[in-house]
Amino acid sequence: MLIIMKLNSSKADIEKVRDRISSKKCVPHEIPGANKLGIGITGPTTLLNEQEFLCLESVEEVIRVTKPYKLVSREMKQENTIINLDQACIGGEELAIIAGPCSIESKQQLFDIAGELKEMGIKFLRAGAFKPRSSPYSFQGLKEKGLLYLSEIKRELGLKIVTEAKDTKTLPLIAEIADIIQIGARNMQNFSLLEEAGQLSNAILLKRGMAATIEDLLMSAEYILSQGNFNVILCERGIRTFETMTRNTLDLNAVPMIKKNSHLPIIVDPSHAIGIWDKVTPMAMAAIACGSDGLMVEVHNHPDQALSDGSQSLTPKNFRKLLDKIGQLAPIVDRKINYYANVS
Ligand code: PEP
Ligand code: MN
């Protein structure tokens, strides 16, 4: 349920509504960023009666939210959520481009690639320190040492850091460094991790699980918002289908469907979706064409030597070509891209 308050409502008016909600064992959530002041209600809302709110002078409207996901729904908030990480936004007119290696492999490797990306105008660096790998024998990441390198990059280059938290144990450590904490496909329904991420103020990049429906993804996002963290970015990264020629099947239907049903930003990761480096650019173009708010792309200076996901990683040179194409496409979909094309 959503209560729309009149614009001139006082703090006391809002408190009165909140108290009435809490007295029925429901939870009030002030919806940030809305044009009108909205108070979303979660919990056993069937016990609430619209009339008991409508009779209050400060209440303009009471809306029943019909979807199973509440706080993430467009019914709850009509305008798009823009996540603002000072000078770097996700969900606004400028496309958010997140780029970097799958894993941090050494200090040198990270500084080399981060420096090149920064020169291109990239604001968000992705790089995994704690890697969730299908095989226990594969490279698991540099862990704490990787986080240390990321904090040095952040300090020296001012890039926004996107890195994955794969369990609740290391989440607080990652939260100290990451501007955006990635929750990966394998953890999309790790509800303890989602709840703890919901108690942080860092932005959360929630990737779609490989066998998750769009609704499952939105329900997982709801876990985070329900704990008070509204800074959630969704990510379509391909799902498992019967197709074996590509790593996953990029479900671009998810982009317009999420835009219709949720106010949260949605970006696309074409690298994990297709898994083949020279097919990443066409899928990135398709993602932007269908309304994605940005991209997450794996870029590595030496893909042939990468310790994870080398076969889907672009070299900086090829990534620059991708940016060039996205730059041409962006105005057609009323978007902009921050990209310094003339850097060699
Ligand atoms: C990654 O981004 O490197 C990753 C492991 O992604 P996903 O969770 O989508 O597989
Ligand atoms: Mn990867």
Side-chain angles (χ1 to χ4, degrees), residues 21-44:
I21 296 167
S22 307
S23 73
K24 296 283 169 63
K25 304 215 173 339
C26 289
V27 185
H29 308 260
E30 280 172 44
I31 307 290
N35 274 337
K36 290 181 180 174
L37 174 61
I39 302 178
I41 311 176
T42 55

PDB file of all heavy atoms in Angstrom, residues 21-44:
ATOM      1  N   ILE A  21       0.355   3.219  10.911  1.00  0.00           N
ATOM      2  CA  ILE A  21       0.850   2.047  10.167  1.00  0.00           C
ATOM      3  C   ILE A  21       1.502   1.057  11.140  1.00  0.00           C
ATOM      4  O   ILE A  21       1.201  -0.131  11.138  1.00  0.00           O
ATOM      5  CB  ILE A  21       1.863   2.488   9.074  1.00  0.00           C
ATOM      6  CG1 ILE A  21       1.173   3.372   8.031  1.00  0.00           C
ATOM      7  CG2 ILE A  21       2.532   1.287   8.417  1.00  0.00           C
ATOM      8  CD1 ILE A  21       2.131   4.116   7.088  1.00  0.00           C
ATOM      9  N   SER A  22       2.374   1.596  12.000  1.00  0.00           N
ATOM     10  CA  SER A  22       3.107   0.721  12.937  1.00  0.00           C
ATOM     11  C   SER A  22       2.152   0.039  13.913  1.00  0.00           C
ATOM     12  O   SER A  22       2.378  -1.105  14.310  1.00  0.00           O
ATOM     13  CB  SER A  22       4.138   1.509  13.732  1.00  0.00           C
ATOM     14  OG  SER A  22       4.959   2.230  12.855  1.00  0.00           O
ATOM     15  N   SER A  23       1.090   0.744  14.294  1.00  0.00           N
ATOM     16  CA  SER A  23       0.155   0.150  15.273  1.00  0.00           C
ATOM     17  C   SER A  23      -0.539  -1.082  14.694  1.00  0.00           C
ATOM     18  O   SER A  23      -1.069  -1.897  15.434  1.00  0.00           O
ATOM     19  CB  SER A  23      -0.876   1.189  15.721  1.00  0.00           C
ATOM     20  OG  SER A  23      -1.780   1.414  14.665  1.00  0.00           O
ATOM     21  N   LYS A  24      -0.508  -1.232  13.366  1.00  0.00           N
ATOM     22  CA  LYS A  24      -1.137  -2.426  12.744  1.00  0.00           C
ATOM     23  C   LYS A  24      -0.073  -3.446  12.342  1.00  0.00           C
ATOM     24  O   LYS A  24      -0.278  -4.268  11.457  1.00  0.00           O
ATOM     25  CB  LYS A  24      -1.952  -1.990  11.503  1.00  0.00           C
ATOM     26  CG  LYS A  24      -3.128  -1.087  11.825  1.00  0.00           C
ATOM     27  CD  LYS A  24      -4.294  -1.886  12.397  1.00  0.00           C
ATOM     28  CE  LYS A  24      -5.390  -1.027  12.988  1.00  0.00           C
ATOM     29  NZ  LYS A  24      -6.069  -0.154  12.069  1.00  0.00           N
ATOM     30  N   LYS A  25       1.094  -3.320  12.965  1.00  0.00           N
ATOM     31  CA  LYS A  25       2.215  -4.255  12.722  1.00  0.00           C
ATOM     32  C   LYS A  25       2.730  -4.212  11.285  1.00  0.00           C
ATOM     33  O   LYS A  25       3.283  -5.172  10.754  1.00  0.00           O
ATOM     34  CB  LYS A  25       1.840  -5.691  13.113  1.00  0.00           C
ATOM     35  CG  LYS A  25       1.365  -5.823  14.551  1.00  0.00           C
ATOM     36  CD  LYS A  25       1.779  -7.118  15.159  1.00  0.00           C
ATOM     37  CE  LYS A  25       1.494  -7.262  16.648  1.00  0.00           C
ATOM     38  NZ  LYS A  25       1.307  -6.051  17.420  1.00  0.00           N
ATOM     39  N   CYS A  26       2.484  -3.084  10.624  1.00  0.00           N
ATOM     40  CA  CYS A  26       3.041  -2.890   9.281  1.00  0.00           C
ATOM     41  C   CYS A  26       4.228  -1.934   9.392  1.00  0.00           C
ATOM     42  O   CYS A  26       4.446  -1.320  10.436  1.00  0.00           O
ATOM     43  CB  CYS A  26       1.986  -2.315   8.337  1.00  0.00           C
ATOM     44  SG  CYS A  26       0.731  -3.539   7.936  1.00  0.00           S
ATOM     45  N   VAL A  27       4.996  -1.832   8.301  1.00  0.00           N
ATOM     46  CA  VAL A  27       6.208  -1.007   8.353  1.00  0.00           C
ATOM     47  C   VAL A  27       6.094   0.159   7.357  1.00  0.00           C
ATOM     48  O   VAL A  27       5.850  -0.065   6.171  1.00  0.00           O
ATOM     49  CB  VAL A  27       7.465  -1.857   8.002  1.00  0.00           C
ATOM     50  CG1 VAL A  27       8.739  -1.042   8.165  1.00  0.00           C
ATOM     51  CG2 VAL A  27       7.515  -3.118   8.844  1.00  0.00           C
ATOM     52  N   PRO A  28       6.260   1.402   7.841  1.00  0.00           N
ATOM     53  CA  PRO A  28       6.236   2.549   6.912  1.00  0.00           C
ATOM     54  C   PRO A  28       7.618   2.814   6.321  1.00  0.00           C
ATOM     55  O   PRO A  28       8.626   2.649   6.999  1.00  0.00           O
ATOM     56  CB  PRO A  28       5.834   3.715   7.827  1.00  0.00           C
ATOM     57  CG  PRO A  28       6.322   3.318   9.189  1.00  0.00           C
ATOM     58  CD  PRO A  28       6.404   1.821   9.248  1.00  0.00           C
ATOM     59  N   HIS A  29       7.662   3.174   5.054  1.00  0.00           N
ATOM     60  CA  HIS A  29       8.940   3.522   4.404  1.00  0.00           C
ATOM     61  C   HIS A  29       8.707   4.822   3.647  1.00  0.00           C
ATOM     62  O   HIS A  29       7.885   4.840   2.722  1.00  0.00           O
ATOM     63  CB  HIS A  29       9.355   2.475   3.350  1.00  0.00           C
ATOM     64  CG  HIS A  29       9.359   1.065   3.844  1.00  0.00           C
ATOM     65  ND1 HIS A  29      10.515   0.417   4.216  1.00  0.00           N
ATOM     66  CD2 HIS A  29       8.348   0.160   4.000  1.00  0.00           C
ATOM     67  CE1 HIS A  29      10.203  -0.830   4.580  1.00  0.00           C
ATOM     68  NE2 HIS A  29       8.907  -1.004   4.449  1.00  0.00           N
ATOM     69  N   GLU A  30       9.430   5.872   3.995  1.00  0.00           N
ATOM     70  CA  GLU A  30       9.297   7.095   3.202  1.00  0.00           C
ATOM     71  C   GLU A  30      10.015   6.859   1.892  1.00  0.00           C
ATOM     72  O   GLU A  30      11.157   6.417   1.870  1.00  0.00           O
ATOM     73  CB  GLU A  30       9.857   8.293   3.967  1.00  0.00           C
ATOM     74  CG  GLU A  30       8.814   8.774   4.976  1.00  0.00           C
ATOM     75  CD  GLU A  30       9.295   9.835   5.927  1.00  0.00           C
ATOM     76  OE1 GLU A  30       9.964  10.781   5.466  1.00  0.00           O
ATOM     77  OE2 GLU A  30       9.009   9.700   7.129  1.00  0.00           O
ATOM     78  N   ILE A  31       9.333   7.130   0.782  1.00  0.00           N
ATOM     79  CA  ILE A  31       9.911   6.835  -0.522  1.00  0.00           C
ATOM     80  C   ILE A  31      10.768   8.025  -0.956  1.00  0.00           C
ATOM     81  O   ILE A  31      10.246   9.107  -1.200  1.00  0.00           O
ATOM     82  CB  ILE A  31       8.806   6.578  -1.585  1.00  0.00           C
ATOM     83  CG1 ILE A  31       7.821   5.498  -1.101  1.00  0.00           C
ATOM     84  CG2 ILE A  31       9.418   6.203  -2.928  1.00  0.00           C
ATOM     85  CD1 ILE A  31       8.367   4.100  -1.037  1.00  0.00           C
ATOM     86  N   PRO A  32      12.089   7.834  -1.038  1.00  0.00           N
ATOM     87  CA  PRO A  32      12.951   8.971  -1.344  1.00  0.00           C
ATOM     88  C   PRO A  32      12.844   9.404  -2.797  1.00  0.00           C
ATOM     89  O   PRO A  32      12.577   8.577  -3.670  1.00  0.00           O
ATOM     90  CB  PRO A  32      14.355   8.432  -1.044  1.00  0.00           C
ATOM     91  CG  PRO A  32      14.239   6.956  -1.148  1.00  0.00           C
ATOM     92  CD  PRO A  32      12.818   6.581  -0.885  1.00  0.00           C
ATOM     93  N   GLY A  33      13.020  10.678  -3.014  1.00  0.00           N
ATOM     94  CA  GLY A  33      13.137  11.193  -4.377  1.00  0.00           C
ATOM     95  C   GLY A  33      11.827  11.384  -5.123  1.00  0.00           C
ATOM     96  O   GLY A  33      11.822  11.856  -6.237  1.00  0.00           O
ATOM     97  N   ALA A  34      10.727  10.996  -4.524  1.00  0.00           N
ATOM     98  CA  ALA A  34       9.457  11.140  -5.245  1.00  0.00           C
ATOM     99  C   ALA A  34       9.049  12.612  -5.292  1.00  0.00           C
ATOM    100  O   ALA A  34       9.382  13.378  -4.402  1.00  0.00           O
ATOM    101  CB  ALA A  34       8.398  10.307  -4.553  1.00  0.00           C
ATOM    102  N   ASN A  35       8.319  12.985  -6.336  1.00  0.00           N
ATOM    103  CA  ASN A  35       7.829  14.370  -6.450  1.00  0.00           C
ATOM    104  C   ASN A  35       6.891  14.693  -5.306  1.00  0.00           C
ATOM    105  O   ASN A  35       6.939  15.746  -4.705  1.00  0.00           O
ATOM    106  CB  ASN A  35       7.061  14.551  -7.758  1.00  0.00           C
ATOM    107  CG  ASN A  35       8.003  14.888  -8.890  1.00  0.00           C
ATOM    108  OD1 ASN A  35       9.093  15.395  -8.644  1.00  0.00           O
ATOM    109  ND2 ASN A  35       7.591  14.578 -10.098  1.00  0.00           N
ATOM    110  N   LYS A  36       6.009  13.731  -5.062  1.00  0.00           N
ATOM    111  CA  LYS A  36       5.099  13.876  -3.922  1.00  0.00           C
ATOM    112  C   LYS A  36       5.696  13.075  -2.781  1.00  0.00           C
ATOM    113  O   LYS A  36       6.495  12.182  -3.009  1.00  0.00           O
ATOM    114  CB  LYS A  36       3.737  13.306  -4.279  1.00  0.00           C
ATOM    115  CG  LYS A  36       2.992  14.136  -5.300  1.00  0.00           C
ATOM    116  CD  LYS A  36       1.652  13.512  -5.572  1.00  0.00           C
ATOM    117  CE  LYS A  36       0.900  14.339  -6.602  1.00  0.00           C
ATOM    118  NZ  LYS A  36      -0.329  13.699  -7.006  1.00  0.00           N
ATOM    119  N   LEU A  37       5.285  13.384  -1.578  1.00  0.00           N
ATOM    120  CA  LEU A  37       5.797  12.590  -0.470  1.00  0.00           C
ATOM    121  C   LEU A  37       4.978  11.306  -0.365  1.00  0.00           C
ATOM    122  O   LEU A  37       3.767  11.338  -0.154  1.00  0.00           O
ATOM    123  CB  LEU A  37       5.721  13.402   0.832  1.00  0.00           C
ATOM    124  CG  LEU A  37       6.112  12.595   2.056  1.00  0.00           C
ATOM    125  CD1 LEU A  37       7.552  12.097   1.949  1.00  0.00           C
ATOM    126  CD2 LEU A  37       5.950  13.411   3.308  1.00  0.00           C
ATOM    127  N   GLY A  38       5.644  10.191  -0.568  1.00  0.00           N
ATOM    128  CA  GLY A  38       4.957   8.906  -0.493  1.00  0.00           C
ATOM    129  C   GLY A  38       5.419   8.130   0.722  1.00  0.00           C
ATOM    130  O   GLY A  38       6.590   8.177   1.087  1.00  0.00           O
ATOM    131  N   ILE A  39       4.487   7.433   1.355  1.00  0.00           N
ATOM    132  CA  ILE A  39       4.873   6.518   2.433  1.00  0.00           C
ATOM    133  C   ILE A  39       4.430   5.124   1.998  1.00  0.00           C
ATOM    134  O   ILE A  39       3.230   4.835   1.897  1.00  0.00           O
ATOM    135  CB  ILE A  39       4.236   6.907   3.781  1.00  0.00           C
ATOM    136  CG1 ILE A  39       4.636   8.338   4.156  1.00  0.00           C
ATOM    137  CG2 ILE A  39       4.657   5.922   4.881  1.00  0.00           C
ATOM    138  CD1 ILE A  39       4.028   8.846   5.438  1.00  0.00           C
ATOM    139  N   GLY A  40       5.424   4.298   1.678  1.00  0.00           N
ATOM    140  CA  GLY A  40       5.124   2.927   1.276  1.00  0.00           C
ATOM    141  C   GLY A  40       4.886   2.089   2.515  1.00  0.00           C
ATOM    142  O   GLY A  40       5.491   2.332   3.561  1.00  0.00           O
ATOM    143  N   ILE A  41       3.998   1.111   2.395  1.00  0.00           N
ATOM    144  CA  ILE A  41       3.723   0.254   3.562  1.00  0.00           C
ATOM    145  C   ILE A  41       3.974  -1.193   3.167  1.00  0.00           C
ATOM    146  O   ILE A  41       3.475  -1.661   2.143  1.00  0.00           O
ATOM    147  CB  ILE A  41       2.259   0.399   4.037  1.00  0.00           C
ATOM    148  CG1 ILE A  41       1.887   1.881   4.173  1.00  0.00           C
ATOM    149  CG2 ILE A  41       2.057  -0.349   5.352  1.00  0.00           C
ATOM    150  CD1 ILE A  41       0.432   2.114   4.536  1.00  0.00           C
ATOM    151  N   THR A  42       4.768  -1.886   3.985  1.00  0.00           N
ATOM    152  CA  THR A  42       4.940  -3.325   3.780  1.00  0.00           C
ATOM    153  C   THR A  42       4.462  -4.038   5.038  1.00  0.00           C
ATOM    154  O   THR A  42       4.267  -3.418   6.080  1.00  0.00           O
ATOM    155  CB  THR A  42       6.410  -3.680   3.502  1.00  0.00           C
ATOM    156  OG1 THR A  42       7.224  -3.183   4.569  1.00  0.00           O
ATOM    157  CG2 THR A  42       6.902  -3.112   2.180  1.00  0.00           C
ATOM    158  N   GLY A  43       4.290  -5.348   4.925  1.00  0.00           N
ATOM    159  CA  GLY A  43       3.788  -6.132   6.056  1.00  0.00           C
ATOM    160  C   GLY A  43       2.368  -6.588   5.754  1.00  0.00           C
ATOM    161  O   GLY A  43       1.947  -6.592   4.594  1.00  0.00           O
ATOM    162  N   PRO A  44       1.608  -6.952   6.791  1.00  0.00           N
ATOM    163  CA  PRO A  44       0.249  -7.479   6.559  1.00  0.00           C
ATOM    164  C   PRO A  44      -0.738  -6.353   6.209  1.00  0.00           C
ATOM    165  O   PRO A  44      -1.633  -6.007   6.991  1.00  0.00           O
ATOM    166  CB  PRO A  44      -0.090  -8.155   7.894  1.00  0.00           C
ATOM    167  CG  PRO A  44       0.754  -7.468   8.897  1.00  0.00           C
ATOM    168  CD  PRO A  44       1.988  -6.963   8.213  1.00  0.00           C
TER     169      PRO A  44
END
